């Protein structure tokens, strides 16, 4: 479903991604671990072309993201086409990024109505189903400022699901939450994993990775140092850098 090949990204002289290769199958959950500054968020943002990569490519379900191929060269798509592609890629940010002037119901419905131009009746029905799924149907007419951080993040997940995405990207979705609110968000994510949603999750929640991930990736200094099943990467890491990192976070 997701194919990342030889991806490089630099900001001036700073090389943030140094040739990343990553494949995620349909219905799989990949958890990306790594220290701050390792390139985790940049990798996620490259997947939906929020970051333009310098070399390599990203494809989702066989379609190049952000570019079209002409011979042996890649040419960036027009913004309209890029937005069309993004409308099939869910993204859940650290800081929720809800529209403060819209209600919960309107936040979830906005993208299907405006970006995908789906019928209003269909979107209203879907919005109710999704809010029920994340346990917030009773908050449909509330505004983000009236919600806890955990509730806001659950709305953000419902908003991502409303796009009917091929994959959902999570960028440290619990890092901005009080510890007591983390569990409610992780439970929604566990439900998504059980339902076969394709997910790439950047997180420091090792317990979640151990329980839910099909593959755990350890990224350091812009390179994938180690990847494999949770039992291998988390319990018997082969690389010294992975062992050092886990020794600090476990």
């Amino acid at each position: 479903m997701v194919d990342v090949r030889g991806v490089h990204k630099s900001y001036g002289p700073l090389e943030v991604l140094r040739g990343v290769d990553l494949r995620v199958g349909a219905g799989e959950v990949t958890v990306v671990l790594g220290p701050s500054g390792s390139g985790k968020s940049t990798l996620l943002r490259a997947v939906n072309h929020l970051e333009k990569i310098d070399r390599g490519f990203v494809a989702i379900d066989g379609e190049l993201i952000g570019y079209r191929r002409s011979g042996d060269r890649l040419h960036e798509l027009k913004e309209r086409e890029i937005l069309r592609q993004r409308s099939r890629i869910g993204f859940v940010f650290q800081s929720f990024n809800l529209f403060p002037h819209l209600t919960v119901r309107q936040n979830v419905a906005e993208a299907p109505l405006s970006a995908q131009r789906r019928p209003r009746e269909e979107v209203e029905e879907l919005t109710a189903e999704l809010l029920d799924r994340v346990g917030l149907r009773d908050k449909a007419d509330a505004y983000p400022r009236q919600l806890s951080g955990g509730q806001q993040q659950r709305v953000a997940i419902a908003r991502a699901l409303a796009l009917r995405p091929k994959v959902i990207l999570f960028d440290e979705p619990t890092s901005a939450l009080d510890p007591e609110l983390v569990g409610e968000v992780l439970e929604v994510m566990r439900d998504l994993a059980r339902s076969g949603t394709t997910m790439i999750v950047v997180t420091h929640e090792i317990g979640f990775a151990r329980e839910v991930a099909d593959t755990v990736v350890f990224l350091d200094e812009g390179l994938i140092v180690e990847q494999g099943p949770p039992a291998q990467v988390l319990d018997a890491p082969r690389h010294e850098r992975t062992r050092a990192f886990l020794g600090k976070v476990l």
Side-chain angles (χ1 to χ4, degrees):
M1 180 59 72
V2 181
D3 191 6
V4 176
R5 297 279 190 95
V7 166
H8 289 253
K9 175 64 181 178
S10 296
Y11 300 104
L14 178 63
E15 196 172 13
V16 180
L17 299 176
R18 301 191 289 146
V20 173
D21 294 309
L22 178 66
R23 291 186 180 184
V24 181
E28 291 183 354
V29 178
T30 293
V31 170
V32 182
L33 305 176
S36 296
S38 60
K40 305 185 301 297
S41 293
T42 302
L43 174 60
L44 274 196
R45 292 169 67 85
V47 170
N48 76 342
H49 204 65
L50 282 172
E51 293 285 357
K52 298 179 184 180
I53 60 179
D54 302 322
R55 276 190 286 159
F57 69 84
V58 176
I60 294 181
D61 201 17
E63 180 182 12
L64 280 176
I65 300 301
Y67 299 91
R68 61 177 174 82
R69 190 181 297 279
S70 178
D72 59 353
R73 296 177 64 86
L74 296 179
H75 301 274
E76 190 172 21
L77 296 174
K78 293 181 178 179
E79 185 65 20
R80 181 180 61 196
E81 281 298 300
I82 293 170
L83 291 174
R84 178 191 64 80
Q85 291 183 329
R86 283 194 193 128
S87 74
R88 293 301 183 191
I89 306 169
F91 204 122
V92 178
F93 298 86
Q94 296 179 40
S95 53
F96 324 136
N97 283 15
L98 300 178
F99 296 112
H101 62 290
L102 299 182
T103 66
V104 165
R105 190 197 316 271
Q106 291 167 333
N107 264 283
V108 175
E110 174 65 20
L113 289 173
S114 61
Q116 296 180 333
R117 301 190 181 283
R118 282 150 58 187
R120 180 169 292 276
E121 184 176 343
E122 173 194 319
V123 172
E124 289 176 351
E125 183 177 339
L126 174 64
T127 297
E129 291 174 2
L130 291 174
L131 290 178
D132 194 42
R133 183 173 183 178
V134 300
L136 289 172
R137 197 163 190 165
D138 62 328
K139 300 292 186 181
D141 295 316
Y143 288 88
R145 66 180 180 275
Q146 298 171 308
L147 305 179
S148 70
Q151 290 171 329
Q152 290 187 61
Q153 195 61 293
R154 283 187 280 155
V155 173
I157 293 172
R159 181 179 62 179
L161 287 169
L163 293 169
R164 293 177 176 162
K166 295 176 182 285
V167 58
I168 302 184
L169 313 174
F170 294 83
D171 189 7
E172 299 195 31
T174 61
S175 65
L177 301 179
D178 291 334
E180 61 186 12
L181 301 177
V182 169
E184 65 188 59
V185 173
L186 292 182
E187 185 52 42
V188 171
M189 294 171 65
R190 289 187 190 97
D191 176 66
L192 294 181
R194 287 190 290 263
S195 71
T197 304
T198 307
M199 300 161 62
I200 304 177
V201 184
V202 169
T203 185
H204 290 302
E205 299 290 340
I206 303 298
F208 173 82
R210 192 188 306 278
E211 178 185 352
V212 174
D214 297 289
T215 301
V216 173
V217 172
F218 178 65
L219 190 69
D220 188 43
E221 296 184 349
L223 290 170
I224 291 180
V225 174
E226 190 161 358
Q227 63 180 309
Q232 182 255 299
V233 175
L234 300 177
D235 298 329
R238 296 170 182 160
H239 199 283
E240 175 57 35
R241 183 66 186 92
T242 315
R243 289 194 291 270
F245 174 79
L246 292 172
K248 292 178 180 178
V249 300
L250 288 176

